[in-house]
Every structure is written in C-alpha cells, then in structure tokens.
C-alpha cells in the first residue's frame, strides 16, 4: 500500500512549509479562487427554535439552501463542550495510540480512525483526518472501536449523552420538515426507520495548512444521510454552494448546523434540497467539526413519499434500499 497511507495529515502538517502537489486542487476547485468575496454575501438562515413559527422557517431553508443553523435547540452547552473535549483529547493522543483504533476498509472494518490520504478521481488528496463510529441504535454499536477510558477519560459517557440529545433533536426536525411538506408530523420518522435510525458520530480534524487557499479539507459533496447535525469549533471552514457561488457558512456561537441529506431530498421528491458543501482549512489554526449523520437502516427502502408524487410532479428518484444507495454513490455508479 505504500508508506503514505500510514501517515496522517496531522503528522504531515507538523513538518511542512509548502503544500505537496497532490493536495493542490485544480483551479476550478481552489477555495482561494472560487469563494465569493463580494459585498452582501447572503448568510445561511439562523433559526431560533424558541420563537413561534420556527418550523415553517426550517422548511423554507430546506427548500432554498438545504442548510440552516439552529439556536436555542435544547442541547445543553455542557454536553457540546464535553463532546468537543473528548474529541480534542483523542487527537492529542500519540500516533501509536490513535493507530490502535484505525479503520481497515479492506477487512470490512469501516469504523475508527483514518485519514483522507487516499486520492480522489483527479488524483488529489484532502487535508483531513477523522474518527467515526456508530452511536445508536445499541445493537449496531461496537465499543471496541471507541477509545478506552484510560486513553480518553469520559469518551463513552460524552458520546452517549450527546447522542441522546441528537435523537431528540432529530425527531423534532423530522416533525417540522414533514409538516412543511403538508404531511403528518410522523411521516419522515416512519419512512426512515423509526427507532431503527442509525446515528453515526464523526470527528473531523483539519490541522493548520501552509497554503490553505489551494486545498480543501473536504471536497464538494452532498451527504448520503437523511440529515446531518454538525457542531464546529470556532475556526471558519464550512462553505455552501448556492446560485452558482460558494459562500462561507458563518460561525455562530452555540449554533448547530443542519444539513439536508440525499434521503430527505429523495423522500420530498426534490422539494427539499441536499446541500452541496465543502470545507476549507486555515493557515494558523486547527479546525474541528463533530457531524452526526442520521441514516436509515441499510435494508430500508427509501423513495419519494406517495403523497408527493402526482401526474404533474412524477417521481424524480427511484426507490432503493439505503445500503444499495450507498453502494451506488460511493462507487460513483449511475443511479
């Protein structure tokens, strides 16, 4: 496999003064050249969940942006801070310790610690290490890939506590987004598997980069999930594609960022939009983010809701088992 697969971006960042060519994006993809810098750039909606009518605003944002930020969301700041603390502590571990939790897709071990040092279709790499694992439902959780308490004190408790808040918030988001489509409030939860919903916690780690204007932490993509709820640290990095432009999604203290994913776009028959997004990196500071991907069980078939398919608005998407959808998308096969 070559030695580079064992070196993390975190290690690389500590020893570089110039960006290696395999990280330099083609010009149409470089954030320095493609980020909107004009006056009056639109801001992604920030929705206060303590105000009346917030659900209707979520539905508008899901149609127009595919992304919104929520404040007064009911997730205690202490639970967020603890999730962030244990995430930082994991990435502060010595390399050998982190490697104990390394993923190994070749052997079927897809959870764990990894790095984006594999090349994309253009032969490019992204500036990003990560750690991820399933946090719910209990029967799908593999604690063997979670850091032991001796390595990172409180890791399990912090993730389990945060997951409980994510399950409650997701139910609420599904209810309001269902109502926004003219459906009953339980429509999305039912269609996506109810208590079988899979919650995947990821930590993205983007170390300081010598030439951030030339590379990306994550290349442009939409999430396969139903939706993704992300908490960032204070270092700016998330960008959203809208109306032909890349815009910064501004950092809002105490906000959680909600991405509409492919499965909600499919369920809504295209009314709600999965957000095309990417991540930039910083010259001086480490950026981190903690997304939770909310996914249907693999065997569940997801397609447009029958009430949203009419003669005037025929189905735009084929119904598929979620695991088949993942296979098609990961392998870039025609849908």
């Amino acid at each position: 496999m070559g030695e580079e697969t064992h070196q993390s971006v975190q290690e690389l960042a500590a020893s570089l003064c110039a960006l290696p060519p395999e990280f330099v994006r083609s010009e149409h993809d470089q954030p320095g050249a493609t980020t909107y810098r004009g006056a009056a750039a639109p801001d992604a909606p920030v929705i206060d969940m303590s105000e009346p009518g917030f659900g209707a605003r979520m539905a508008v944002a899901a149609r127009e942006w595919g992304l919104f930020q929520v404040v007064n969301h009911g997730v205690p700041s202490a639970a967020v801070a603890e999730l962030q603390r244990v995430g930082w502590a994991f990435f502060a571990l010595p390399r050998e310790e982190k490697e104990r939790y390394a993923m190994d897709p070749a052997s079927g071990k897809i959870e764990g610690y990894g790095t984006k040092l594999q090349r994309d279709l253009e032969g490019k790499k992204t500036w990003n290490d990560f750690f991820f694992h399933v946090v719910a439902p209990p029967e799908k959780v593999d604690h063997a890939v979670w850091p032991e308490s001796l390595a990172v004190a409180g890791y399990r408790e912090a993730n389990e506590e945060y997951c409980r808040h994510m399950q409650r918030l997701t139910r609420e988001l599904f209810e309001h987004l269902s109502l926004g489509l003219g459906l009953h409030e339980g429509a999305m939860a039912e269609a996506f598997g109810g208590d079988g919903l899979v919650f995947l916690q990821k930590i993205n780690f983007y170390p300081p980069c010598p030439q951030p204007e030339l590379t990306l932490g994550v290349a442009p993509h939409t999430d396969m999930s139903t939706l993704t709820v992300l908490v960032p640290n204070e270092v700016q990095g998330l960008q959203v594609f809208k109306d032909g432009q890349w815009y910064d999604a501004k950092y809002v203290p105490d906000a959680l960022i909600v991405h509409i994913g492919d499965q909600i776009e499919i369920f809504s028959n295209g009314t709600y939009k999965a957000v095309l997004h990417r991540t930039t990196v910083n010259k001086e500071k480490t950026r981190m983010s903690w997304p939770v991907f909310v996914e249907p069980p693999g065997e569940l078939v997801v397609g447009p809701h029958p009430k949203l398919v009419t003669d005037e608005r025929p189905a735009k998407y084929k119904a598929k088992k979620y695991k088949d959808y993942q296979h098609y998308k990961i392998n870039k096969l025609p849908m």
Side-chain angles (χ1 to χ4, degrees), residues 11-205:
E11 287 180 291
L12 204 55
S15 60
L16 282 182
C17 6
L19 196 63
E22 64 269 25
F23 287 94
V24 177
R25 311 296 299 183
S26 56
E27 210 165 300
H28 69 271
D29 231 3
Q30 291 177 9
T34 56
T35 301
Y36 181 80
R37 295 291 180 223
D43 285 332
V46 178
I47 297 171
D48 186 336
M49 292 181 69
S50 66
E51 290 181 354
F54 74 85
R57 288 198 285 281
M58 283 178 179
V60 171
R63 284 177 161 87
E64 294 180 359
W65 281 83
L67 176 141
F68 49 90
Q69 305 204 45
V70 289
V71 294
N72 291 317
H73 39 65
V75 181
S77 55
V80 174
E82 186 62 2
L83 180 81
Q84 292 181 308
R85 181 191 70 77
V86 297
W88 276 106
F90 175 78
F91 277 95
L93 292 172
R95 170 186 165 169
E96 315 74 65
E97 190 70 25
K98 289 198 288 283
E99 287 287 341
R100 288 179 53 199
Y101 306 100
M103 62 192 298
D104 182 14
S107 70
K109 185 182 172 189
I110 56 165
E111 294 179 69
Y113 167 65
T115 188
K116 272 286 197 268
L117 285 180
Q118 68 270 32
R119 297 167 189 263
D120 65 14
L121 288 175
E122 291 187 8
K124 297 298 179 187
K125 300 175 181 180
T126 50
W127 196 259
N128 165 242
D129 296 332
F130 58 84
F131 184 60
F132 77 105
H133 50 73
V134 173
V135 285
E139 63 273 15
K140 292 201 172 147
V141 173
D142 177 8
H143 285 121
V145 298
W146 296 33
E148 294 161 9
S149 57
L150 285 173
V152 180
Y155 187 89
R156 180 167 172 172
E157 296 79 0
N159 277 267
E160 289 177 346
E161 166 81 0
Y162 188 72
C163 178
R164 284 191 287 275
H165 292 295
M166 288 299 101
Q167 289 171 307
R168 190 263 316 154
L169 179 62
T170 296
R171 277 195 301 275
E172 205 170 335
L173 293 168
F174 280 172
E175 287 171 4
H176 291 292
L177 291 169
S178 296
L179 292 170
L181 293 167
L183 304 172
H184 70 92
E185 66 178 18
M188 267 189 201
E190 288 165 20
F192 295 140
D195 291 340
L197 269 171
V198 178
F199 288 74
L200 184 66
Q201 176 72 64
K202 187 177 185 190
I203 311 171
N204 287 309
F205 186 89

Side-chain angles (χ1 to χ4, degrees), residues 206-237:
Y206 310 99
C209 175
Q211 293 172 289
E213 70 283 357
L214 300 180
T215 194
L216 290 169
V218 175
H221 69 287
T222 60
D223 292 344
M224 288 187 280
S225 55
T226 62
L227 53 77
T228 304
V229 182
L230 178 144
V231 57
N233 72 347
E234 72 289 348
V235 180
Q236 183 68 46

